Amino acid sequence: MPLPVPVLPEGVDPAWLPPAAFRAVGGRRTLIRGSGPPAETVHGEVAEACRRFGGRVVRDAQPGEGAYDLVLDLGGEGLGEEGFTCAREGGTTTVTATCGRGLLYGLFHVVRLGEAAFTGAWARETHRPALALRMLDHWDNVAVHPVMGQVERGYAGGSLFWEDGRARGDLERVRAYGRLLAACGINAVAVNNVNVHETEAHLLTDRIGEVAAIADVLRPYGVRTHLSVSFAAPVVLGGLPTADPLDEAVRGWWATATRRVYEAIPDFGGYVVKADSEGQPGPFAYGRSHADGANLLAAAVGPYGGTVHWRAFVYDHRQDWRDRTTDRARAAYDHFVPLDGEFAADAVLQVKHGPMDFQVREPVSPLIGAMPRTRLAVEVQVTQEYTGQQRHVCWLGPMWSEVLRFRHDPESSVGERARGGLVGVSNAGDDPFWTGHPLAQANLYTFGRLAWRPDAEPREVLDEWIGLTFPKAPERLSDGLHAVLDGSWRTYEKYTAPLGVGWMVQPGHHYGPNVDGYEYSPWGTYHFADRDGIGVDRSVATGTGYAGQYAKPWAELYESPGTCPDELLLFFHHVSYGHTLHSGKTVIQHIYDTHFEGVAEVEEARRVWAGLADLVEPGRHARVAERYEEQLRSAREWRDQINSYFFRKSGVPDERGRRVH
Amino acid sequence: MPLPVPVLPEGVDPAWLPPAAFRAVGGRRTLIRGSGPPAETVHGEVAEACRRFGGRVVRDAQPGEGAYDLVLDLGGEGLGEEGFTCAREGGTTTVTATCGRGLLYGLFHVVRLGEAAFTGAWARETHRPALALRMLDHWDNVAVHPVMGQVERGYAGGSLFWEDGRARGDLERVRAYGRLLAACGINAVAVNNVNVHETEAHLLTDRIGEVAAIADVLRPYGVRTHLSVSFAAPVVLGGLPTADPLDEAVRGWWATATRRVYEAIPDFGGYVVKADSEGQPGPFAYGRSHADGANLLAAAVGPYGGTVHWRAFVYDHRQDWRDRTTDRARAAYDHFVPLDGEFAADAVLQVKHGPMDFQVREPVSPLIGAMPRTRLAVEVQVTQEYTGQQRHVCWLGPMWSEVLRFRHDPESSVGERARGGLVGVSNAGDDPFWTGHPLAQANLYTFGRLAWRPDAEPREVLDEWIGLTFPKAPERLSDGLHAVLDGSWRTYEKYTAPLGVGWMVQPGHHYGPNVDGYEYSPWGTYHFADRDGIGVDRSVATGTGYAGQYAKPWAELYESPGTCPDELLLFFHHVSYGHTLHSGKTVIQHIYDTHFEGVAEVEEARRVWAGLADLVEPGRHARVAERYEEQLRSAREWRDQINSYFFRKSGVPDERGRRVH
């Protein structure tokens, strides 16, 4: 039975799967060969497209030469669970896959190609995901948290899964979400927050049925379901006196609990764990290592084909700002490198891409280059916690691409080292546009595609997204979207914290400027600005030694202000305001210039967007236009606060005499 | 029928009315003459004391010479509602009053005197309150507010009156509260927050019964009940299309609503209104003046003997920090002085003692000296919002006394100008010690006594409080309490914002340091520190002109940095860090010195308190000792953040070479 295409609730935006995106496929004659659930999903998609655009779909006949425009064939060999080939010859486009999920990805490949899929002829191409795990972590709470709300760091309405303490009854929207994820290549979702509060802890045991219901609707889209769990579950849920990972009763408790999970969800993906981090429980309480902790859970899920994702985000969040020797940036490396080789095969160490916490600019985490005997997953933040909270346009494709192409040493890039997968903190919610800001959909799409192919050109991914989201977009629209998106990350960087120093945000909610907001805090997040200069000395020679966590040539490059890249200068060095950058500007003049430029670029983007009104659906256009007003207000506030702060501190006037308050 | 003394719930501290405080009275023979509710309260008090200490009490017999040690006689003439006389002759102490409340105050006077009341002989003394209204405003919410909680700026547990949306069922604790208030002379209480939220608005109409129940238990202690109301009540509660104060239907609505209030509470005190302030509705929306607004409500309550307390806390809370011409300090004066003479007789303009908002140091509000034809009440904050939140010891008696003795001109002091009364924002809640910090009880007591006699010596009031709270305290305890309390306000000032500049607190909750916390905010609260200097120029010659709102000699004194008192220098002037104070120190050295001194003084106070362990009830001693740990931690944080901030900005090292981070 073909699986019906999900029906979106009234008013919900189809994102990158509007019906018109299926025009080329829907007007053709298609043959589908093979069976199993994903084949039914494929069939449902093609059938709906044909219903709309007049084509025809047939199941399981022998392909008669020329009789079909498109053959989707499950008869391939050796392509793995997710790979497919695509070729065109004699007027027929043929997609071949070994497994159903491959066929589904092949279909969406054809959809992306549009008319080009049915034009000319080309030799067989093989497509396989570079990373086997392409995962979204939802920081969704089941119960509304008194401080963090329904979705921690969520800027897109409520949760798709949970509402006010309960699972949503109607899962049609979750089905539609699964379909969007499949179309950009995402194959795993963790359905609850890594900060596991009291209510959420019970998902693992007595409330597993609610997770299973979600898993059931995501499965046909090739998306496996994962669960964040509390390391203290044996105590909190099981009533045991300890959660010690080496305790036999604890191991038994996890084994039993996990068996029950797999009874409910046979293809359950595994656990996500934030342990000994920002107040969450962990193995340190029992004098055990994080490898002990991760291996405990790996032993529970491994026999069923599951994985434990163990987060490396471990640092001292009760630091004393007076203490300049402790460096939060060092923490993940210092904690985990000694454990390399000790993690079980079914344990994945999930490492944030930078050493701090998703700032607009960070160096790539040295830990990623220093755990050759450990399966690593790299975590990025699709939700824009520190990058404008989906009120600002900030397309993160170029940043992620830089990270994924970074090479700690000549042997391999980050994308290649991420054997455990690429994980993104989701930016989606029950907002009609899914992501609050309609243009933030591009981040979700780009994340999925970069997880599939970390060396993809982000600009080409953006072209795909534009082609799907705005079918038949005239060149003016496509150019306009590129104009407002391509450079938006660097624009955001320009008007916020300069030269890699980070933070300078309002504490708590992290929106808007506050230069000293985290300066005297316990969070390990300092810029050390005084009347003479600014920045954190992380050199080996005179600083915290963090630069030495890199292999050559990076360790040497970062060690000296003379060779350190401008954009990371203040992350690695404390320099005077008069220090001259590679750009030829002084640090203080760079601060003034970039802040004026950043605001000017937002003004220009707003103008460009206004000029696209005739080409964009009115509701979407209006939503973006409104958010540009807020972005501009906020960017000006950033500019003025940062410029005033540094003028007051440095006493150096702007060379160009612009207004600094 | 004598009114029984309230029974405190198990574990609740008796504050300044422990049974032992009644020893002298309770061991004597007392005659009470007169009737009426307060006489029954007096009778109940004396009877309970006699039951405990073996004395005797008789009602309404003729006083036989020598037969009684104490005569409490309602037969006096011309002493007003609250006055009394006290004399001792021939072994009999005689208190005479005209009205019951006077007799009650006379009894507590005798209680305060203790054995001295029954020693020697003295001529008749007359006691009358200097201010007819001595009021506590409770910022208590009925429903728990999502941001502000049950009690806005409350640091003493929950509300005495309300819990989770409902009135408390058992009012015995409220009775005990009324008794404590009577014993320090407070005669009015507003039972809900001046920020009137949705639930609370209904107290005026359909929930007036809950207010009446509170009024019933406070009445025997001479305490009248007042209510904070929303200016928009005719719209919100009455369904009218407007709340325009000149609209006939609006006037009619208030008349009817008020008639019903008085049916429920015949001695209802009146309304408290925060209008056009921090988001509350007000007459500005209708193009009317604040006199129009206040007079509307005065006309409603006046015929019943009630008063409207109209707060003068009106300013622009959406200011642009870039705009240095707007000065929040000017706002109350600018708004209200033009209205002098326009307020009805039953309207009282309630003015905060300083022009900003209860900072540790502010000049006295110039508005208080500039409204001769208006009944003014002066508002102080007993709850320690900006003065340590009842985790720090900060006895505010000296500050209030300075304010009340301040003379805008030679004719009259603030205490004399406050014809409409002294109002304090309450610091009491359902905490077992009533005020969170046991020593904060002294603030509540001192407030009441200064309202009775604004020219009282605060140190003598503290002696009274010590005598009552710690009956038979040996000299070592009394000296110790003075040592930790007398200078605690100046200690707090030393380690927080310097030289009158104010703020530098964490935004929102206002606890702990954040030098720039309000610097780039819309609240009108700036220090303008740069690398050269700090302070707000409020002179007429070069600044905002605020200094010109004072009469001579203050206007001239404040106008020049050369004559401005040190402690207010940065409130009135922007000066360089090298500016020399009258003390002979530079501003920057003053900052360093006071911050080191402040912490040292807290360390010393903690040491003194520790030495009193054998003289103080263990539970109370432990609570205070715990809070000293937090005070010391917090004071060190203040010291280090402020010193570091100004060292980083000024580059001037501490002369004495102490550690600045």
Side-chain angles (χ1 to χ4, degrees):
Chain A
M1 282 286 290
L3 182 74
V5 170
V7 178
L8 285 176
E10 182 74 26
V12 172
D13 185 72
W16 51 87
L17 292 181
F22 292 81
R23 179 179 301 273
V25 170
R28 278 12 197 234
R29 296 156 301 169
T30 299
L31 169 64
I32 300 170
R33 299 182 63 225
S35 60
E40 304 305 333
T41 307
V42 168
H43 187 175
E45 292 289 337
V46 178
E48 169 63 18
C50 291
R51 189 188 66 72
R52 195 177 284 265
F53 297 106
R56 225 159 32 85
V57 58
V58 173
R59 277 297 274 280
D60 293 328
Q62 290 302 315
E65 202 169 287
Y68 299 101
D69 304 302
L70 174 62
V71 176
L72 297 161
D73 186 357
L74 255 182
E77 287 297 326
L79 293 164
E81 288 189 35
E82 304 190 313
F84 62 90
T85 62
C86 188
R88 182 164 171 84
E89 195 186 350
T92 299
T93 304
T94 305
V95 171
T96 313
T98 307
C99 300
R101 282 199 277 154
L103 202 67
L104 185 62
Y105 292 130
L107 167 67
F108 284 120
H109 177 72
V110 171
V111 170
R112 273 195 296 273
L113 291 175
E115 279 304 322
F118 303 100
T119 309
W122 68 84
R124 182 183 172 99
E125 297 167 352
T126 302
H127 296 262
R128 291 176 205 259
L131 303 179
L133 185 120
R134 306 172 302 279
M135 180 171 184
L136 284 175
D137 280 4
H138 278 260
W139 288 355
D140 296 13
N141 298 314
V142 176
V144 176
H145 185 271
V147 176
M148 290 300 175
Q150 186 78 63
V151 181
E152 181 161 334
R153 312 304 178 189
Y155 314 106
S159 165
L160 290 162
F161 307 122
W162 318 104
E163 186 175 39
D164 265 347
R166 285 186 295 274
R168 287 184 180 275
D170 179 359
L171 294 179
E172 188 70 357
R173 179 98 191 249
V174 176
R175 248 170 39 86
Y177 183 55
R179 180 178 180 242
L180 285 170
L181 300 188
C184 67
I186 291 164
N187 68 353
V189 160
V191 296
N192 66 309
N193 189 357
V194 290
N195 290 314
V196 179
H197 307 295
E198 199 183 334
T199 303
E200 292 73 15
H202 288 267
L203 294 176
L204 174 62
T205 53
D206 47 304
R207 297 184 64 168
I208 191 65
E210 297 170 47
V211 182
I214 294 168
D216 286 345
V217 301
L218 291 177
R219 187 175 296 112
Y221 294 99
V223 177
R224 282 172 87 178
T225 297
H226 298 239
L227 194 62
S228 295
V229 297
S230 167
F231 192 76
V235 176
V236 175
L237 300 171
L240 297 189
T242 179
D244 182 346
L246 302 192
D247 182 280
E248 268 315 305
V250 169
R251 301 177 77 81
W253 188 89
W254 279 109
T256 304
T258 304
R259 178 169 52 73
R260 293 196 182 127
V261 169
Y262 277 92
E263 282 166 10
I265 310 169
D267 62 345
F268 177 69
Y271 298 134
V272 179
V273 188
K274 175 177 180 178
D276 290 321
S277 173
E278 298 180 340
Q280 293 289 310
F284 284 165
Y286 308 100
R288 309 302 182 191
S289 78
H290 276 243
D292 294 332
N295 294 348
L296 163 74
L297 299 182
V301 294
Y304 304 96
T307 306
V308 57
H309 281 255
W310 190 267
R311 293 177 89 234
F313 187 53
V314 177
Y315 70 99
D316 178 3
H317 69 289
R318 293 185 182 158
Q319 198 176 320
D320 188 334
W321 60 268
R322 301 165 191 79
D323 164 23
R324 293 210 184 185
T325 62
T326 301
D327 182 2
R328 171 170 167 179
R330 292 185 57 110
Y333 185 102
D334 287 344
H335 277 114
F336 286 96
V337 168
L339 301 178
D340 189 31
E342 296 185 17
F343 286 91
D346 298 313
V348 164
L349 189 65
Q350 185 166 315
V351 185
K352 291 193 182 196
H353 69 82
M356 297 295 278
D357 191 20
F358 302 134
Q359 301 303 291
V360 68
R361 175 74 70 174
E362 296 188 33
V364 175
S365 169
L367 182 61
I368 298 170
M371 300 283 283
R373 294 179 294 157
T374 305
R375 276 174 77 195
L376 295 183
V378 172
E379 182 178 311
V380 300
Q381 197 179 39
V382 188
T383 192
Q384 291 171 236
E385 177 177 358
Y386 293 100
T387 51
Q389 304 198 350
Q390 282 129 266
R391 290 187 261 183
H392 297 226
V393 178
C394 185
W395 177 54
L396 295 165
M399 175 166 96
W400 298 332
S401 178
E402 280 189 16
V403 169
L404 292 166
R405 296 182 195 207
F406 181 87
R407 291 177 177 272
H408 290 83
D409 55 50
E411 275 174 39
S412 50
S413 67
V414 168
E416 287 158 351
R417 287 177 190 274
R419 292 186 292 127
L422 188 67
V423 179
V425 182
S426 171
N427 68 346
D430 76 347
D431 172 73
F433 289 99
W434 299 89
T435 53
H437 199 305
L439 298 181
Q441 291 175 2
N443 280 328
L444 186 52
Y445 184 87
T446 303
F447 166 77
R449 298 294 290 149
L450 286 178
W452 182 282
R453 235 189 92 199
D455 60 352
E457 267 304 326
R459 207 173 177 288
E460 289 171 13
V461 173
L462 194 59
D463 272 329
E464 283 181 18
W465 176 77
I466 293 171
L468 287 169
T469 307
F470 304 90
K472 297 199 175 183
E475 205 169 323
R476 180 159 67 85
L477 176 54
S478 176
D479 289 351
L481 288 162
H482 275 293
V484 302
L485 285 165
D486 286 1
S488 58
W489 165 51
R490 285 176 185 275
T491 296
Y492 189 85
E493 182 181 25
K494 281 183 176 180
Y495 62 76
T496 57
L499 296 164
V501 78
W503 310 96
M504 303 193 171
V505 292
Q506 292 283 0
H509 58 67
H510 300 162
Y511 186 78
N514 186 337
V515 179
D516 276 0
Y518 276 99
E519 188 58 15
Y520 300 94
S521 82
W523 295 94
T525 47
Y526 316 115
H527 54 64
F528 301 128
D530 61 21
R531 74 198 317 256
D532 302 315
I534 178 174
V536 187
D537 184 353
R538 292 188 163 108
S539 70
V540 175
T542 55
T544 68
Y546 167 82
Q549 291 186 340
Y550 291 86
K552 291 179 188 176
W554 295 109
E556 288 174 358
L557 193 88
Y558 292 146
E559 176 70 14
S560 155
T563 51
C564 183
D566 283 352
E567 68 270 19
L568 289 170
L569 182 65
L570 301 185
F571 191 92
F572 282 101
H573 298 284
H574 188 95
V575 300
S576 74
Y577 294 117
H579 175 93
T580 304
L581 299 169
H582 301 301
S583 70
K585 289 182 182 176
T586 61
V587 166
I588 186 72
Q589 193 57 41
H590 172 93
I591 291 174
Y592 296 144
D593 286 351
T594 50
H595 284 78
F596 284 110
E597 283 163 27
V599 170
E601 287 168 16
V602 176
E603 286 168 344
E604 171 62 11
R606 182 179 65 153
R607 193 193 62 74
V608 169
W609 182 259
L612 303 176
D614 56 324
L615 301 176
V616 178
E617 181 270 314
R620 188 195 306 250
H621 191 274
R623 171 78 77 100
V624 172
E626 279 164 31
R627 298 210 170 200
Y628 265 122
E629 295 306 313
E630 166 55 19
Q631 180 175 1
L632 187 54
R633 184 206 62 75
S634 177
R636 287 173 175 156
E637 194 63 31
W638 272 99
R639 175 194 66 194
D640 291 346
Q641 285 200 30
I642 298 243
N643 285 349
S644 289
Y645 181 98
F646 286 104
F647 175 63
R648 289 190 191 182
K649 243 177 182 155
S650 71
V652 180
D654 173 37
E655 279 174 9
R656 295 173 53 189
R658 291 162 295 196
R659 180 97 193 253
V660 175
H661 297 270
Chain B
M1 281 286 290
L3 181 75
V5 170
V7 179
L8 285 175
E10 183 73 26
V12 172
D13 185 72
W16 51 86
L17 292 181
F22 291 80
R23 180 180 299 274
V25 170
R28 266 45 188 215
R29 297 156 300 169
T30 297
L31 169 64
I32 299 170
R33 299 183 64 225
S35 60
E40 303 305 332
T41 308
V42 168
H43 187 175
E45 292 288 338
V46 178
E48 170 63 18
C50 290
R51 189 188 66 72
R52 196 176 282 268
F53 296 106
R56 227 163 27 90
V57 57
V58 172
R59 278 296 276 278
D60 291 329
Q62 290 302 316
E65 203 170 285
Y68 300 100
D69 304 302
L70 175 62
V71 176
L72 297 161
D73 185 358
L74 254 181
E77 287 297 326
L79 294 165
E81 288 189 35
E82 304 191 313
F84 62 91
T85 64
C86 187
R88 182 165 170 86
E89 195 186 348
T92 299
T93 303
T94 303
V95 170
T96 312
T98 306
C99 299
R101 282 199 278 154
L103 202 67
L104 185 61
Y105 292 130
L107 167 66
F108 284 120
H109 177 72
V110 170
V111 171
R112 274 194 297 272
L113 290 174
E115 278 304 321
F118 302 100
T119 309
W122 69 84
R124 183 183 172 101
E125 296 167 353
T126 302
H127 296 263
R128 290 175 206 260
L131 303 178
L133 186 120
R134 306 173 301 279
M135 180 171 184
L136 284 175
D137 281 4
H138 278 259
W139 289 354
D140 295 13
N141 298 314
V142 177
V144 176
H145 185 270
V147 177
M148 289 300 175
Q150 186 77 66
V151 181
E152 181 161 334
R153 311 306 178 189
Y155 314 106
S159 166
L160 290 162
F161 307 121
W162 317 104
E163 186 176 38
D164 265 348
R166 286 187 295 275
R168 287 184 179 275
D170 179 357
L171 294 179
E172 188 69 359
R173 180 96 191 250
V174 176
R175 255 180 22 94
Y177 183 55
R179 180 176 179 243
L180 286 170
L181 300 188
C184 67
I186 290 164
N187 68 354
V189 160
V191 295
N192 65 309
N193 190 356
V194 290
N195 290 314
V196 179
H197 307 295
E198 199 184 332
T199 302
E200 292 72 15
H202 287 268
L203 294 177
L204 174 62
T205 52
D206 47 304
R207 296 185 66 169
I208 191 66
E210 297 170 47
V211 182
I214 294 167
D216 286 345
V217 301
L218 292 177
R219 188 174 296 114
Y221 295 98
V223 177
R224 283 171 86 177
T225 298
H226 298 239
L227 194 61
S228 295
V229 296
S230 167
F231 192 76
V235 176
V236 175
L237 300 171
L240 297 189
T242 178
D244 182 347
L246 302 193
D247 183 280
E248 267 314 305
V250 169
R251 301 178 77 80
W253 188 88
W254 278 109
T256 304
T258 303
R259 178 169 52 74
R260 291 194 182 130
V261 169
Y262 277 93
E263 283 166 10
I265 311 170
D267 61 345
F268 178 69
Y271 299 135
V272 179
V273 188
K274 175 177 179 178
D276 290 320
S277 172
E278 298 180 339
Q280 292 290 309
F284 284 165
Y286 308 100
R288 309 302 183 189
S289 78
H290 275 244
D292 294 332
N295 294 347
L296 163 74
L297 299 182
V301 293
Y304 303 97
T307 305
V308 57
H309 281 255
W310 190 268
R311 294 178 87 234
F313 187 52
V314 177
Y315 70 99
D316 179 2
H317 69 290
R318 293 185 181 158
Q319 200 177 318
D320 188 334
W321 60 267
R322 300 164 189 81
D323 163 23
R324 294 211 185 186
T325 62
T326 302
D327 181 2
R328 169 170 168 180
R330 291 185 58 110
Y333 185 102
D334 287 345
H335 276 114
F336 286 96
V337 168
L339 300 178
D340 190 31
E342 296 184 16
F343 286 90
D346 297 315
V348 165
L349 189 66
Q350 185 166 315
V351 185
K352 290 194 183 194
H353 69 82
M356 297 296 279
D357 191 21
F358 302 134
Q359 301 304 291
V360 67
R361 175 73 70 172
E362 296 188 33
V364 174
S365 169
L367 183 60
I368 298 170
M371 300 284 282
R373 294 179 295 156
T374 305
R375 275 174 77 195
L376 296 182
V378 172
E379 182 179 311
V380 301
Q381 197 179 39
V382 188
T383 193
Q384 292 170 237
E385 177 177 359
Y386 294 99
T387 51
Q389 303 198 351
Q390 282 129 266
R391 289 187 261 183
H392 297 225
V393 178
C394 186
W395 177 54
L396 294 165
M399 175 165 96
W400 298 332
S401 178
E402 279 189 17
V403 169
L404 292 166
R405 296 182 197 207
F406 181 86
R407 290 177 178 273
H408 290 82
D409 57 48
E411 274 173 40
S412 50
S413 66
V414 168
E416 287 157 352
R417 287 178 191 272
R419 291 185 292 126
L422 189 68
V423 179
V425 182
S426 171
N427 68 345
D430 76 347
D431 172 73
F433 289 99
W434 299 89
T435 52
H437 199 307
L439 299 180
Q441 291 175 2
N443 280 328
L444 186 53
Y445 184 87
T446 303
F447 166 76
R449 298 295 290 149
L450 286 178
W452 182 281
R453 237 190 91 199
D455 61 352
E457 267 304 327
R459 207 174 177 287
E460 289 170 14
V461 173
L462 195 59
D463 273 328
E464 281 181 21
W465 176 77
I466 293 170
L468 287 168
T469 307
F470 304 89
K472 296 199 176 180
E475 206 169 324
R476 180 160 67 85
L477 176 55
S478 175
D479 290 350
L481 287 162
H482 275 292
V484 302
L485 284 165
D486 286 0
S488 57
W489 166 51
R490 284 176 184 275
T491 297
Y492 189 85
E493 181 181 26
K494 282 182 176 181
Y495 61 76
T496 57
L499 297 165
V501 78
W503 311 95
M504 302 193 172
V505 291
Q506 293 282 1
H509 58 67
H510 300 163
Y511 186 77
N514 186 335
V515 180
D516 276 0
Y518 276 98
E519 189 59 14
Y520 300 93
S521 82
W523 295 94
T525 47
Y526 315 115
H527 54 63
F528 301 127
D530 61 21
R531 74 199 317 258
D532 302 315
I534 177 173
V536 188
D537 184 353
R538 293 189 162 107
S539 70
V540 174
T542 55
T544 68
Y546 168 81
Q549 291 186 341
Y550 291 87
K552 291 181 188 175
W554 296 108
E556 289 175 357
L557 194 88
Y558 292 146
E559 177 69 14
S560 155
T563 50
C564 183
D566 283 353
E567 68 269 17
L568 290 171
L569 181 66
L570 301 184
F571 191 93
F572 282 101
H573 298 283
H574 188 94
V575 300
S576 74
Y577 294 117
H579 175 92
T580 303
L581 299 169
H582 301 301
S583 71
K585 289 181 181 177
T586 61
V587 165
I588 187 71
Q589 193 57 39
H590 172 93
I591 291 174
Y592 297 144
D593 286 350
T594 50
H595 285 78
F596 285 110
E597 285 164 23
V599 171
E601 287 169 15
V602 176
E603 286 167 345
E604 171 63 10
R606 183 180 64 153
R607 194 193 60 75
V608 168
W609 182 259
L612 302 177
D614 56 323
L615 301 176
V616 177
E617 181 269 316
R620 186 195 307 249
H621 191 272
R623 171 80 77 100
V624 172
E626 279 164 32
R627 299 212 168 199
Y628 265 122
E629 295 306 313
E630 166 55 19
Q631 180 175 0
L632 187 55
R633 183 206 63 74
S634 177
R636 287 174 175 155
E637 194 63 30
W638 272 99
R639 175 194 65 194
D640 290 347
Q641 286 200 29
I642 298 242
N643 285 349
S644 289
Y645 180 99
F646 286 105
F647 175 65
R648 288 189 191 182
K649 242 176 183 155
S650 71
V652 180
D654 173 37
E655 279 174 9
R656 295 173 54 189
R658 290 162 294 195
R659 181 97 193 254
V660 175
H661 297 269

